[in-house]
Amino acid sequence: MFEGRTRRDDDRPLFDAPLLMMAFTNRCGSTLLGSLLADTGLFAPFGDDHLNAEHVRLSIGTTPRTHFVDYLTATLDAKHVGGRLYTIKASAGQFVMLYRWNVFRMFPAVVVVHAYRDDLLSQAISFSIASQTGRWASYVPGTPTVPRFDADTLAFTMQNCAQENALIF
């Protein structure tokens, strides 16, 4: 997608405000937490999918970017309002990607908030419902369907969430 142009080699900050990065696992409540934080007026709105490969592909298709840093800078600037902290949500894998690509050095400071759900079974059930209906957020219309649950799939999802949370901690 960026043909290897991903890592930032310069350690000088590009932004004048800190970054609040919310580390999360799917269906943990991070979207709600992000909305509540943005409503305080202290934080820019969180984007749910700015680091998802498909979203990035679609975004650079409409506004070509040759380097990941260019994409991220444009994305964060577009939703930033003066005086607010920059914000982004990242899964465990995306967190590692941002670290390896030296993105955290783009900011004078980075604060990581880990959004997680104590009840992994409820999280797994929520994930199963969302994946079957296509409703990944309450405001997204989904496919009317009666969800079906499989104990093995729920157990796998619970284990996956626990492993990702352990990577973040």
Side-chain angles (χ1 to χ4, degrees):
M1 186 172 350
F2 293 105
E3 299 175 16
R5 293 181 298 274
T6 53
R7 181 168 168 69
R8 183 168 185 265
D9 294 323
D10 190 348
D11 284 342
R12 291 175 294 164
L14 289 177
F15 297 98
D16 59 355
L19 172 70
L20 176 68
M21 192 193 81
M22 188 183 314
F24 73 99
T25 54
N26 283 322
R27 313 306 298 164
C28 73
S30 59
T31 299
L32 174 60
L33 178 57
S35 294
L36 294 171
L37 289 172
D39 286 348
T40 68
L42 300 173
F43 306 94
F46 285 82
D48 286 339
D49 53 6
H50 295 306
L51 297 178
N52 290 349
E54 186 59 27
H55 178 83
V56 174
R57 245 190 243 64
L58 291 172
S59 294
I60 64 173
T62 58
T63 309
R65 306 271 184 234
T66 59
H67 197 289
F68 178 75
V69 171
D70 297 333
Y71 162 76
L72 189 60
T73 301
T75 299
L76 293 176
D77 278 342
K79 63 183 185 141
H80 186 256
V81 176
R84 293 183 175 201
L85 294 179
Y86 288 93
T87 58
I88 198 160
K89 286 175 56 177
S91 66
Q94 292 165 339
F95 180 92
V96 170
M97 174 191 77
L98 294 173
Y99 177 79
R100 286 183 179 161
W101 291 356
N102 205 26
V103 167
F104 298 136
R105 297 284 187 163
M106 294 169 60
F107 302 89
V110 176
V111 176
V112 178
V113 172
H114 181 193
Y116 65 94
R117 192 167 178 169
D118 285 328
D119 184 350
L120 292 179
L121 177 57
S122 292
Q123 186 174 359
I125 290 169
S126 178
F127 183 88
S128 180
I129 292 169
S131 62
Q132 291 177 56
T133 63
R135 291 194 72 203
W136 292 97
S138 58
Y139 54 83
V140 174
T143 306
T145 185
V146 176
R148 296 176 186 222
F149 301 102
D150 173 272
D152 290 337
T153 302
L154 293 176
F156 176 80
T157 303
M158 291 171 62
Q159 181 180 11
N160 188 45
C161 288
Q163 288 173 340
E164 284 196 31
N165 281 326
L167 288 172
I168 296 167
F169 272 123

mmCIF file with all atom_site columns, all heavy atoms in Angstrom, residues 2-14:
data_model
loop_
_atom_site.group_PDB
_atom_site.id
_atom_site.type_symbol
_atom_site.label_atom_id
_atom_site.label_alt_id
_atom_site.label_comp_id
_atom_site.label_asym_id
_atom_site.label_entity_id
_atom_site.label_seq_id
_atom_site.pdbx_PDB_ins_code
_atom_site.Cartn_x
_atom_site.Cartn_y
_atom_site.Cartn_z
_atom_site.occupancy
_atom_site.B_iso_or_equiv
_atom_site.pdbx_formal_charge
_atom_site.auth_seq_id
_atom_site.auth_comp_id
_atom_site.auth_asym_id
_atom_site.auth_atom_id
_atom_site.pdbx_PDB_model_num
ATOM 1   N N   . PHE A 1 2  ? 1.861  1.304  0.899  1.00 0.00 ? 2  PHE A N   1
ATOM 2   C CA  . PHE A 1 2  ? 2.774  2.448  0.923  1.00 0.00 ? 2  PHE A CA  1
ATOM 3   C C   . PHE A 1 2  ? 4.149  2.066  0.373  1.00 0.00 ? 2  PHE A C   1
ATOM 4   O O   . PHE A 1 2  ? 5.096  2.815  0.497  1.00 0.00 ? 2  PHE A O   1
ATOM 5   C CB  . PHE A 1 2  ? 2.922  2.994  2.350  1.00 0.00 ? 2  PHE A CB  1
ATOM 6   C CG  . PHE A 1 2  ? 1.665  3.613  2.871  1.00 0.00 ? 2  PHE A CG  1
ATOM 7   C CD1 . PHE A 1 2  ? 0.887  2.958  3.805  1.00 0.00 ? 2  PHE A CD1 1
ATOM 8   C CD2 . PHE A 1 2  ? 1.243  4.850  2.410  1.00 0.00 ? 2  PHE A CD2 1
ATOM 9   C CE1 . PHE A 1 2  ? -0.270 3.517  4.287  1.00 0.00 ? 2  PHE A CE1 1
ATOM 10  C CE2 . PHE A 1 2  ? 0.072  5.419  2.884  1.00 0.00 ? 2  PHE A CE2 1
ATOM 11  C CZ  . PHE A 1 2  ? -0.689 4.747  3.818  1.00 0.00 ? 2  PHE A CZ  1
ATOM 12  N N   . GLU A 1 3  ? 4.224  0.864  -0.199 1.00 0.00 ? 3  GLU A N   1
ATOM 13  C CA  . GLU A 1 3  ? 5.441  0.366  -0.840 1.00 0.00 ? 3  GLU A CA  1
ATOM 14  C C   . GLU A 1 3  ? 6.671  0.513  0.057  1.00 0.00 ? 3  GLU A C   1
ATOM 15  O O   . GLU A 1 3  ? 7.719  0.988  -0.368 1.00 0.00 ? 3  GLU A O   1
ATOM 16  C CB  . GLU A 1 3  ? 5.651  1.065  -2.182 1.00 0.00 ? 3  GLU A CB  1
ATOM 17  C CG  . GLU A 1 3  ? 4.511  0.804  -3.142 1.00 0.00 ? 3  GLU A CG  1
ATOM 18  C CD  . GLU A 1 3  ? 4.651  1.589  -4.433 1.00 0.00 ? 3  GLU A CD  1
ATOM 19  O OE1 . GLU A 1 3  ? 5.746  2.091  -4.728 1.00 0.00 ? 3  GLU A OE1 1
ATOM 20  O OE2 . GLU A 1 3  ? 3.654  1.677  -5.151 1.00 0.00 ? 3  GLU A OE2 1
ATOM 21  N N   . GLY A 1 4  ? 6.520  0.115  1.322  1.00 0.00 ? 4  GLY A N   1
ATOM 22  C CA  . GLY A 1 4  ? 7.641  0.137  2.245  1.00 0.00 ? 4  GLY A CA  1
ATOM 23  C C   . GLY A 1 4  ? 7.904  1.478  2.893  1.00 0.00 ? 4  GLY A C   1
ATOM 24  O O   . GLY A 1 4  ? 8.774  1.588  3.745  1.00 0.00 ? 4  GLY A O   1
ATOM 25  N N   . ARG A 1 5  ? 7.181  2.506  2.501  1.00 0.00 ? 5  ARG A N   1
ATOM 26  C CA  . ARG A 1 5  ? 7.393  3.837  3.082  1.00 0.00 ? 5  ARG A CA  1
ATOM 27  C C   . ARG A 1 5  ? 6.481  3.988  4.304  1.00 0.00 ? 5  ARG A C   1
ATOM 28  O O   . ARG A 1 5  ? 5.418  4.591  4.232  1.00 0.00 ? 5  ARG A O   1
ATOM 29  C CB  . ARG A 1 5  ? 7.132  4.913  2.043  1.00 0.00 ? 5  ARG A CB  1
ATOM 30  C CG  . ARG A 1 5  ? 8.167  4.896  0.912  1.00 0.00 ? 5  ARG A CG  1
ATOM 31  C CD  . ARG A 1 5  ? 7.913  5.994  -0.107 1.00 0.00 ? 5  ARG A CD  1
ATOM 32  N NE  . ARG A 1 5  ? 6.629  5.863  -0.778 1.00 0.00 ? 5  ARG A NE  1
ATOM 33  C CZ  . ARG A 1 5  ? 6.412  5.116  -1.861 1.00 0.00 ? 5  ARG A CZ  1
ATOM 34  N NH1 . ARG A 1 5  ? 7.382  4.418  -2.381 1.00 0.00 ? 5  ARG A NH1 1
ATOM 35  N NH2 . ARG A 1 5  ? 5.223  5.071  -2.416 1.00 0.00 ? 5  ARG A NH2 1
ATOM 36  N N   . THR A 1 6  ? 6.937  3.404  5.407  1.00 0.00 ? 6  THR A N   1
ATOM 37  C CA  . THR A 1 6  ? 6.100  3.396  6.603  1.00 0.00 ? 6  THR A CA  1
ATOM 38  C C   . THR A 1 6  ? 6.822  3.951  7.828  1.00 0.00 ? 6  THR A C   1
ATOM 39  O O   . THR A 1 6  ? 6.223  4.647  8.619  1.00 0.00 ? 6  THR A O   1
ATOM 40  C CB  . THR A 1 6  ? 5.641  1.964  6.919  1.00 0.00 ? 6  THR A CB  1
ATOM 41  O OG1 . THR A 1 6  ? 6.790  1.112  6.977  1.00 0.00 ? 6  THR A OG1 1
ATOM 42  C CG2 . THR A 1 6  ? 4.686  1.461  5.853  1.00 0.00 ? 6  THR A CG2 1
ATOM 43  N N   . ARG A 1 7  ? 8.076  3.628  7.999  1.00 0.00 ? 7  ARG A N   1
ATOM 44  C CA  . ARG A 1 7  ? 8.792  4.034  9.203  1.00 0.00 ? 7  ARG A CA  1
ATOM 45  C C   . ARG A 1 7  ? 9.242  5.486  9.115  1.00 0.00 ? 7  ARG A C   1
ATOM 46  O O   . ARG A 1 7  ? 9.784  5.926  8.113  1.00 0.00 ? 7  ARG A O   1
ATOM 47  C CB  . ARG A 1 7  ? 10.005 3.137  9.431  1.00 0.00 ? 7  ARG A CB  1
ATOM 48  C CG  . ARG A 1 7  ? 10.771 3.514  10.678 1.00 0.00 ? 7  ARG A CG  1
ATOM 49  C CD  . ARG A 1 7  ? 11.796 2.486  11.084 1.00 0.00 ? 7  ARG A CD  1
ATOM 50  N NE  . ARG A 1 7  ? 12.701 2.988  12.092 1.00 0.00 ? 7  ARG A NE  1
ATOM 51  C CZ  . ARG A 1 7  ? 12.384 3.255  13.346 1.00 0.00 ? 7  ARG A CZ  1
ATOM 52  N NH1 . ARG A 1 7  ? 11.168 3.061  13.757 1.00 0.00 ? 7  ARG A NH1 1
ATOM 53  N NH2 . ARG A 1 7  ? 13.269 3.721  14.196 1.00 0.00 ? 7  ARG A NH2 1
ATOM 54  N N   . ARG A 1 8  ? 9.026  6.191  10.193 1.00 0.00 ? 8  ARG A N   1
ATOM 55  C CA  . ARG A 1 8  ? 9.477  7.584  10.293 1.00 0.00 ? 8  ARG A CA  1
ATOM 56  C C   . ARG A 1 8  ? 10.866 7.584  10.908 1.00 0.00 ? 8  ARG A C   1
ATOM 57  O O   . ARG A 1 8  ? 11.077 7.067  11.993 1.00 0.00 ? 8  ARG A O   1
ATOM 58  C CB  . ARG A 1 8  ? 8.505  8.376  11.159 1.00 0.00 ? 8  ARG A CB  1
ATOM 59  C CG  . ARG A 1 8  ? 8.873  9.832  11.247 1.00 0.00 ? 8  ARG A CG  1
ATOM 60  C CD  . ARG A 1 8  ? 7.737  10.634 11.863 1.00 0.00 ? 8  ARG A CD  1
ATOM 61  N NE  . ARG A 1 8  ? 8.081  12.039 11.827 1.00 0.00 ? 8  ARG A NE  1
ATOM 62  C CZ  . ARG A 1 8  ? 8.647  12.679 12.846 1.00 0.00 ? 8  ARG A CZ  1
ATOM 63  N NH1 . ARG A 1 8  ? 8.896  12.058 13.968 1.00 0.00 ? 8  ARG A NH1 1
ATOM 64  N NH2 . ARG A 1 8  ? 8.940  13.956 12.736 1.00 0.00 ? 8  ARG A NH2 1
ATOM 65  N N   . ASP A 1 9  ? 11.838 8.171  10.219 1.00 0.00 ? 9  ASP A N   1
ATOM 66  C CA  . ASP A 1 9  ? 13.219 8.166  10.692 1.00 0.00 ? 9  ASP A CA  1
ATOM 67  C C   . ASP A 1 9  ? 13.572 9.378  11.543 1.00 0.00 ? 9  ASP A C   1
ATOM 68  O O   . ASP A 1 9  ? 14.579 9.382  12.228 1.00 0.00 ? 9  ASP A O   1
ATOM 69  C CB  . ASP A 1 9  ? 14.177 8.067  9.500  1.00 0.00 ? 9  ASP A CB  1
ATOM 70  C CG  . ASP A 1 9  ? 14.041 6.721  8.788  1.00 0.00 ? 9  ASP A CG  1
ATOM 71  O OD1 . ASP A 1 9  ? 13.833 5.714  9.487  1.00 0.00 ? 9  ASP A OD1 1
ATOM 72  O OD2 . ASP A 1 9  ? 14.114 6.700  7.555  1.00 0.00 ? 9  ASP A OD2 1
ATOM 73  N N   . ASP A 1 10 ? 12.748 10.391 11.519 1.00 0.00 ? 10 ASP A N   1
ATOM 74  C CA  . ASP A 1 10 ? 13.012 11.624 12.260 1.00 0.00 ? 10 ASP A CA  1
ATOM 75  C C   . ASP A 1 10 ? 12.392 11.516 13.655 1.00 0.00 ? 10 ASP A C   1
ATOM 76  O O   . ASP A 1 10 ? 11.234 11.134 13.796 1.00 0.00 ? 10 ASP A O   1
ATOM 77  C CB  . ASP A 1 10 ? 12.402 12.803 11.498 1.00 0.00 ? 10 ASP A CB  1
ATOM 78  C CG  . ASP A 1 10 ? 12.810 14.142 12.048 1.00 0.00 ? 10 ASP A CG  1
ATOM 79  O OD1 . ASP A 1 10 ? 13.384 14.193 13.155 1.00 0.00 ? 10 ASP A OD1 1
ATOM 80  O OD2 . ASP A 1 10 ? 12.544 15.152 11.377 1.00 0.00 ? 10 ASP A OD2 1
ATOM 81  N N   . ASP A 1 11 ? 13.138 11.853 14.700 1.00 0.00 ? 11 ASP A N   1
ATOM 82  C CA  . ASP A 1 11 ? 12.628 11.783 16.065 1.00 0.00 ? 11 ASP A CA  1
ATOM 83  C C   . ASP A 1 11 ? 12.019 13.092 16.556 1.00 0.00 ? 11 ASP A C   1
ATOM 84  O O   . ASP A 1 11 ? 11.523 13.169 17.671 1.00 0.00 ? 11 ASP A O   1
ATOM 85  C CB  . ASP A 1 11 ? 13.746 11.365 17.034 1.00 0.00 ? 11 ASP A CB  1
ATOM 86  C CG  . ASP A 1 11 ? 14.058 9.885  16.938 1.00 0.00 ? 11 ASP A CG  1
ATOM 87  O OD1 . ASP A 1 11 ? 13.220 9.130  16.406 1.00 0.00 ? 11 ASP A OD1 1
ATOM 88  O OD2 . ASP A 1 11 ? 15.135 9.479  17.395 1.00 0.00 ? 11 ASP A OD2 1
ATOM 89  N N   . ARG A 1 12 ? 12.039 14.128 15.734 1.00 0.00 ? 12 ARG A N   1
ATOM 90  C CA  . ARG A 1 12 ? 11.441 15.404 16.144 1.00 0.00 ? 12 ARG A CA  1
ATOM 91  C C   . ARG A 1 12 ? 9.923  15.338 16.017 1.00 0.00 ? 12 ARG A C   1
ATOM 92  O O   . ARG A 1 12 ? 9.406  14.839 15.015 1.00 0.00 ? 12 ARG A O   1
ATOM 93  C CB  . ARG A 1 12 ? 11.974 16.548 15.292 1.00 0.00 ? 12 ARG A CB  1
ATOM 94  C CG  . ARG A 1 12 ? 13.448 16.847 15.548 1.00 0.00 ? 12 ARG A CG  1
ATOM 95  C CD  . ARG A 1 12 ? 13.961 17.889 14.610 1.00 0.00 ? 12 ARG A CD  1
ATOM 96  N NE  . ARG A 1 12 ? 13.921 17.289 13.266 1.00 0.00 ? 12 ARG A NE  1
ATOM 97  C CZ  . ARG A 1 12 ? 13.997 17.973 12.137 1.00 0.00 ? 12 ARG A CZ  1
ATOM 98  N NH1 . ARG A 1 12 ? 14.092 19.273 12.152 1.00 0.00 ? 12 ARG A NH1 1
ATOM 99  N NH2 . ARG A 1 12 ? 13.972 17.364 10.971 1.00 0.00 ? 12 ARG A NH2 1
ATOM 100 N N   . PRO A 1 13 ? 9.192  15.862 17.023 1.00 0.00 ? 13 PRO A N   1
ATOM 101 C CA  . PRO A 1 13 ? 7.722  15.847 16.946 1.00 0.00 ? 13 PRO A CA  1
ATOM 102 C C   . PRO A 1 13 ? 7.196  16.649 15.758 1.00 0.00 ? 13 PRO A C   1
ATOM 103 O O   . PRO A 1 13 ? 7.745  17.687 15.413 1.00 0.00 ? 13 PRO A O   1
ATOM 104 C CB  . PRO A 1 13 ? 7.291  16.490 18.263 1.00 0.00 ? 13 PRO A CB  1
ATOM 105 C CG  . PRO A 1 13 ? 8.454  16.334 19.175 1.00 0.00 ? 13 PRO A CG  1
ATOM 106 C CD  . PRO A 1 13 ? 9.677  16.385 18.281 1.00 0.00 ? 13 PRO A CD  1
ATOM 107 N N   . LEU A 1 14 ? 6.145  16.136 15.140 1.00 0.00 ? 14 LEU A N   1
ATOM 108 C CA  . LEU A 1 14 ? 5.448  16.855 14.067 1.00 0.00 ? 14 LEU A CA  1
ATOM 109 C C   . LEU A 1 14 ? 4.248  17.627 14.608 1.00 0.00 ? 14 LEU A C   1
ATOM 110 O O   . LEU A 1 14 ? 3.782  18.563 13.987 1.00 0.00 ? 14 LEU A O   1
ATOM 111 C CB  . LEU A 1 14 ? 4.929  15.872 13.013 1.00 0.00 ? 14 LEU A CB  1
ATOM 112 C CG  . LEU A 1 14 ? 5.947  15.182 12.123 1.00 0.00 ? 14 LEU A CG  1
ATOM 113 C CD1 . LEU A 1 14 ? 5.242  14.196 11.203 1.00 0.00 ? 14 LEU A CD1 1
ATOM 114 C CD2 . LEU A 1 14 ? 6.717  16.199 11.307 1.00 0.00 ? 14 LEU A CD2 1
#
